[in-house]
Amino acid sequence: MLIDSHAHLELDEFDRDREEAINRARQEGLEAILVVGINLDDSRRAVELANQHDMLFAAVGTHPHDVKKINLQTYDRMAELARDKKVVAYGEIGLDFFRNRSPKDVQIRRFGEQLELAQTLNLPVIIHDRDAHKETTAILKNWKGEKRGVIHCFSGDYAMAKQCLDLGFYISIPATVTYPKAEELREVVKKIPLNAILIETDCPFLPPQIYRGKRNEPAYVSHVARKIAAVKNAAPADVESQTTANARHLFSLH
Ligand code: NI
């Protein structure tokens, strides 16, 4: 059994074949897919979608790209959405200093506010960090609340991974681990314990190497599991069962 801990099945890229993509995931052995929201409207779509399929769960939150659009009502609406029984996490939230689609100071302030909201809602967090390793680690370290969540699409080095693990976070590995240039990520995978790892597609983005240039989808999370097994010299079945157990535990999936 496999779990895709981070998919954007709610996005337009899946409008023409969403049901087929979910069926392909089931055939590939997935037992659950976490559909992750990136702003209020998108989070609403994620929750609606999760309510249409047993194997889908949802996360609600505002991505760093979109935090400039947060207004006075946004957090109340998110909190209402989060009461839905299919919502198992808050996110994705964090920092993106690669594109800076929202100003840095706004990103930092909204990240802190959303960590607080997640704590109030008693939900684990899904953290997005791109080109903001130092700042992300510092904010998580200084955060006084419960440290429960995952660094999604991990792109830091082993030193950062170790700090995040010591704080109590899981590390989620995407299909970039299959890319020829991803030596550093494979080094991280090799060194961190299997009981700290989640796997994800972040689809429709970041397909495995053999599908580069195409759309990614949840079924391809099996490629991530197989690559991790190869890198760690572990049995693929152990990688599947352990990463699935980790995701079930973090998101309280039954
Ligand atoms: Ni994402």
Side-chain angles (χ1 to χ4, degrees), residues 21-253:
I22 293 167
N23 283 333
R24 284 191 292 271
R26 195 178 287 113
Q27 278 157 18
E28 189 66 20
L30 275 74
E31 65 168 40
I33 301 167
L34 183 47
V35 183
V36 180
I38 53 176
N39 58 44
L40 184 58
D41 287 341
D42 183 76
S43 295
R44 195 169 283 128
R45 279 194 289 276
V47 174
E48 281 169 11
L49 188 57
N51 274 284
Q52 292 161 10
H53 299 270
D54 280 349
M55 75 181 299
L56 302 188
F57 295 86
V60 300
T62 305
H63 187 287
H65 287 340
D66 286 348
V67 289
K68 59 176 182 275
K69 295 186 233 158
I70 287 177
N71 63 37
L72 284 172
Q73 286 98 49
T74 306
Y75 293 150
D76 286 346
R77 301 256 156 82
M78 283 293 187
E80 284 164 25
L81 268 184
R83 280 206 296 265
D84 189 286
K85 63 182 186 322
K86 296 301 288 274
V87 173
V88 298
Y90 194 92
E92 55 187 291
I93 60 174
L95 303 174
D96 194 311
F97 292 171
F98 179 68
R99 298 203 194 274
N100 280 314
R101 289 199 195 143
S102 293
K104 277 189 184 184
D105 60 321
V106 177
Q107 289 190 42
I108 289 169
R109 191 171 76 245
R110 296 309 194 188
F111 186 17
E113 290 171 357
Q114 293 194 90
L115 284 171
E116 298 248 359
L117 180 54
Q119 165 105 355
T120 306
L121 297 169
N122 194 26
L123 289 172
V125 288
I126 298 172
I127 308 289
H128 173 104
D129 154 40
R130 186 147 184 215
D131 283 7
H133 301 331
K134 223 175 48 187
E135 293 85 352
T136 301
T137 313
I139 286 171
L140 294 177
K141 195 170 278 177
N142 293 328
W143 162 240
K144 298 279 184 286
E146 193 190 356
K147 294 177 169 66
R148 184 161 64 104
V150 56
I151 317 298
H152 121 79
C153 201
F154 187 79
S155 60
D157 60 9
Y158 173 68
M160 178 182 175
K162 181 77 170 62
Q163 286 185 64
C164 293
L165 295 185
D166 289 346
L167 290 173
F169 290 94
Y170 286 92
I171 303 288
S172 183
I173 303 298
T176 51
V177 73
T178 64
Y179 296 178
K181 284 183 182 160
E183 276 310 328
E184 187 168 60
L185 183 58
R186 285 189 286 275
E187 199 57 31
V188 169
V189 167
K190 199 178 286 180
K191 287 181 177 166
I192 63 176
L194 204 45
N195 66 11
I197 298 178
L198 302 190
I199 55 177
E200 66 169 81
T201 58
D202 201 17
C203 63
F205 317 109
L206 303 174
Q209 179 65 22
I210 58 164
Y211 299 120
R212 287 293 280 273
K214 302 211 171 86
R215 186 194 66 182
N216 198 5
E217 63 174 65
Y220 300 164
V221 80
S222 58
H223 293 262
V224 181
R226 280 200 291 274
K227 190 66 183 185
I228 291 173
V231 168
K232 292 184 91 59
N233 203 11
D238 291 345
V239 173
E240 292 191 14
S241 63
Q242 184 66 60
T243 57
T244 296
N246 297 341
R248 279 187 198 151
H249 178 255
L250 178 61
F251 301 122
S252 307
L253 308 179

